[in-house]
Every structure is written in structure tokens, then in C-alpha cells.
Amino acid sequence: MALVTEIAPEPQLVTEPGPPTFSVVAPVFNEEALIEEFCQRAIAALEPLGEPFELVLVNDGSRDRSGMILRTIHERDPRVRVINFSRNFGHQLAITAGTDYAQGRAVIVIDSDLQDPPEVIPELIARWREGYDVVYAVREEREGETWFKRTTASAFYRLIARITNVELPVDAGDFRLMDRKVVDALNRIREHHRFMRGLSVWVGFRSTGVRYTRHARKAGNTKYPFRKMLKFALDGITSFSYLPLQLATYLGFIVAALSLIFILVVFVMRLGSATPQDAAFYGQASTLASVLFIGAVQLISLGIIGEYVGRIYDEVKGRPLYIVAEALGFSEAERARAERLLQR
């Protein structure tokens, strides 16, 4: 009688779907009027490419209905993933969290206020496919912005290009595509006062630009009033330039030279004074002017040094860059990976 042996079937390996090809990272702060349209337009721009993608939306402590709307969009479309901060940590740290969590081979950073049109994303991807690692969007026109905003922005880009040790592309903001190796390099940089558009240039790699028209804001208010613009400019300058510190030294030499000239001028005037009262007047005026001038230079120098010392203090405290209250749509492995980056 022949023995029949049953051969157990080989176990089927269950493979999880691979990472998406594209990740769109967008900070959100009080954008309840625009976030739905932003997601629709971003998805419409990516779907014709025929490759997997994700939208990583970082809710930066919004005080309106943005968090609720984001949750609804995520429940309707799991490709939209949401990171909710415990409070407002700022635009640059929201970008950092998005790149920490993003899984794509190419990561596109874009604002969610629709001033940067999502329809430009396929152009960035096309240049990436040509072999470029960083593709930044250059603002050819800036619709709906005041003369003051355009002038100060243009002056800032040109100033920082001259005084920093990195060649920042002029009129290019945070709207850009970065290859996975660029994102991995950025994720190893954990400084607190972050200037992301400068860091993406500092890490190197092959880059190019795509020109586009920046649209006017359709709803809501700007998230970068003058005070925040000034702080952002200081972060950019102090992160990549020692010129402000050197400026204190230059001011010292200038004051010394002016003081010497002033002393000589006052000495000549006192020699030519007709009466002792005139000589006394010139002496008091020169002393007062010298004290005020030197005191102002000292205060300016101390302020510049204080800016750098304050940034050093922030770094040595070792606090996390941001705190995530809730992450929707991410696996445990993805959360653990982002947590490891945060703890560096």
C-alpha cells in the first residue's frame, strides 16, 4: 500500500506596500477656509502621474477649525496624513516635522495657503526625473503683495546671498522638491533656529530652479507679519553668517577713528575760542557727544552678541524641536522612526 504524504503549502509572505514615490509636506496654521481646496488641488496634480503619493499636513497649533477639517479629510482619503502639534511651534519646525515623517523618494515642501499653486508640482517632478536632487521654485511674479513686502523680500534675498557662506537662490522660498538623500541629510541637522531654505542649499547636491507666478492669498490673513519676517531674517543671517559679529569689531575701529578726529577738531576749536565760556561749552558738548556715541555702539555690539548667545543657549538646553500630540495615518514603525529623529 503506497503511502501518500501531504506536502504542506509554503507560507505566503505578506509584504507591506512600499513607501510612496512622492510626499507633499505642507504646514497648516489657521487655514480652515483653504485646506480643503489645497488637498483637492494637490491630489489632482499628483494623481495623473500614476505613482503612489502621500500628503503630510502638519497642523501647527491652529486655533480655528483646521484640525477638525484635516481629520475629516484623512478619514475620507488615507493618503492624507496629519500631524497635530501640541501647540504652535512655527513654520520652519512644521516643515521639519513633515520631512521627519515623510516616506517618499521625493519630498515636496509647499505652503497650504495656495499662494504657491500645487499645479507647479509636476514641473518640479519633471526636473527631478532629469537627475536634479533639489528643484526649487523661483517666484517670477508676486501677485497681491504690497510694494513694501515685495521690496523688503527682494532686499532680504539679495542681502543674505551676499553675506552668508551659502549661495541661496534669489526669490526662492520654501516651495521646493528634495530627493530622499537630501531629506535624509537635512534630518541629521537638528538645530532649533532653523532656516530650511538655507539648510537645503548648505547640504549641497545638484539643484535647479523652476519659475512660477506666486498667487495672491484667496482667504485668511498672512502668517508672516513684519515682526515674524524680521525674526525669520535674523534666523537666516545668524545661521549662516558671522558678519554681524564682525560688524561689532568694525564699529569699534570706526568709533576709534572718529573719536580721534573729533578730539583734534575740538582741540582746534578750543584754541580758537574767544572766551573761556566758549571753550567750556565746546568741552562739554564734545564729552556728551562722545559718551552717547560710544554707549550706542556698545549697546549695538552687546545686542548682536546677545543674539548669538541666545541661540547657543537654546541649543544646549536640548529641548525637542516640536511635540506631536497626534499623528493620523502613520504606522507604528513610521512613528518610531520619526521619534528617533526627534530625539537626536
Side-chain angles (χ1 to χ4, degrees):
M1 183 177 179
L3 296 175
V4 179
T5 58
E6 294 184 359
I7 301 176
E10 294 184 2
Q12 297 292 323
L13 296 177
V14 179
T15 59
E16 294 184 359
T21 305
F22 308 115
S23 296
V24 175
V25 171
V28 178
F29 180 62
N30 295 341
E31 299 290 0
E32 61 179 1
L34 297 172
I35 193 61
E36 185 84 42
E37 181 182 351
F38 169 79
C39 291
Q40 293 173 357
R41 288 173 58 178
I43 291 172
L46 289 165
E47 277 186 336
L49 301 176
E51 297 194 53
F53 65 88
E54 64 177 357
L55 269 60
V56 181
L57 303 182
V58 184
N59 179 21
D60 186 20
S62 297
R63 294 185 291 270
D64 61 1
R65 295 175 57 252
S66 295
M68 186 186 308
I69 296 172
L70 288 172
R71 180 181 293 274
T72 302
I73 297 173
H74 164 69
E75 292 172 352
R76 187 172 66 235
D77 190 341
R79 295 174 299 183
V80 179
R81 300 177 170 189
V82 180
I83 300 168
N84 287 314
F85 277 175
S86 61
R87 65 170 178 84
N88 177 256
F89 283 91
H91 182 264
Q92 299 296 291
L93 292 181
I95 293 176
T96 301
T99 57
D100 286 349
Y101 278 81
Q103 304 293 315
R105 290 170 46 209
V107 176
I108 301 100
V109 177
I110 183 173
D111 288 339
S112 59
D113 57 9
L114 293 177
Q115 289 188 271
D116 297 331
E119 291 76 15
V120 179
I121 292 176
E123 295 183 46
L124 304 182
I125 293 173
R127 303 310 301 272
W128 172 67
R129 294 192 191 280
E130 294 175 7
Y132 292 99
D133 300 309
V134 178
V135 186
Y136 49 85
V138 181
R139 299 162 181 172
E140 193 170 33
E141 296 181 27
R142 305 166 69 101
E143 297 177 353
E145 293 187 354
T146 63
W147 173 88
F148 178 77
K149 179 69 177 289
R150 293 194 303 270
T151 303
T152 54
S154 177
F156 167 70
Y157 284 119
R158 284 154 179 80
L159 172 66
I160 203 168
R162 282 183 171 272
I163 69 174
T164 60
N165 53 7
V166 293
E167 295 183 5
L168 290 177
V170 177
D171 295 328
D174 291 311
F175 185 18
R176 63 190 59 212
L177 178 149
M178 297 177 289
D179 187 82
R180 168 49 55 184
K181 57 177 173 286
V182 179
V183 174
D184 289 341
L186 282 175
N187 288 344
R188 291 197 293 269
I189 303 172
R190 309 309 292 179
E191 60 191 58
H192 282 69
H193 294 271
R194 304 175 74 79
F195 185 62
M196 293 299 289
R197 64 192 68 173
L199 291 175
S200 65
V201 174
W202 180 86
V203 297
F205 300 102
R206 192 180 179 207
S207 63
T208 189
V210 169
R211 306 192 72 83
Y212 79 106
T213 298
R214 193 163 198 257
H215 295 170
R217 173 177 275 276
K218 295 178 64 176
N221 300 317
T222 178
K223 305 306 183 293
Y224 266 93
F226 180 75
R227 179 179 58 84
K228 284 191 174 182
M229 285 175 58
L230 183 59
K231 180 182 181 302
F232 184 63
L234 285 174
D235 286 342
I237 292 170
T238 55
S239 295
F240 293 97
S241 176
Y242 299 119
L243 181 62
L245 289 174
Q246 296 167 342
L247 186 62
T249 303
Y250 299 151
L251 282 173
F253 282 110
I254 293 172
V255 168
L258 290 176
S259 299
L260 180 60
I261 295 171
F262 193 63
I263 289 172
L264 294 174
V265 170
V266 171
F267 179 73
V268 172
M269 293 176 67
R270 292 189 66 178
L271 288 178
S273 299
T275 63
Q277 290 79 8
D278 291 338
F281 171 76
Y282 288 129
Q284 293 174 359
S286 62
T287 302
L288 180 61
S290 299
V291 170
L292 291 176
F293 186 63
I294 294 173
V297 171
Q298 289 175 334
L299 289 175
I300 292 171
S301 302
L302 286 173
I304 293 171
I305 295 170
E307 286 290 334
Y308 283 89
V309 172
R311 281 157 173 74
I312 295 171
Y313 180 56
D314 285 339
E315 298 299 328
V316 300
K317 283 188 290 189
R319 293 176 182 172
L321 298 181
Y322 55 86
I323 297 175
V324 174
E326 186 180 28
L328 304 176
F330 297 94
S331 66
E332 289 296 328
E334 291 167 341
R335 294 179 189 176
R337 173 183 171 276
E339 187 67 26
R340 286 194 298 270
L341 290 173
L342 184 60
Q343 293 174 356
R344 286 184 177 178

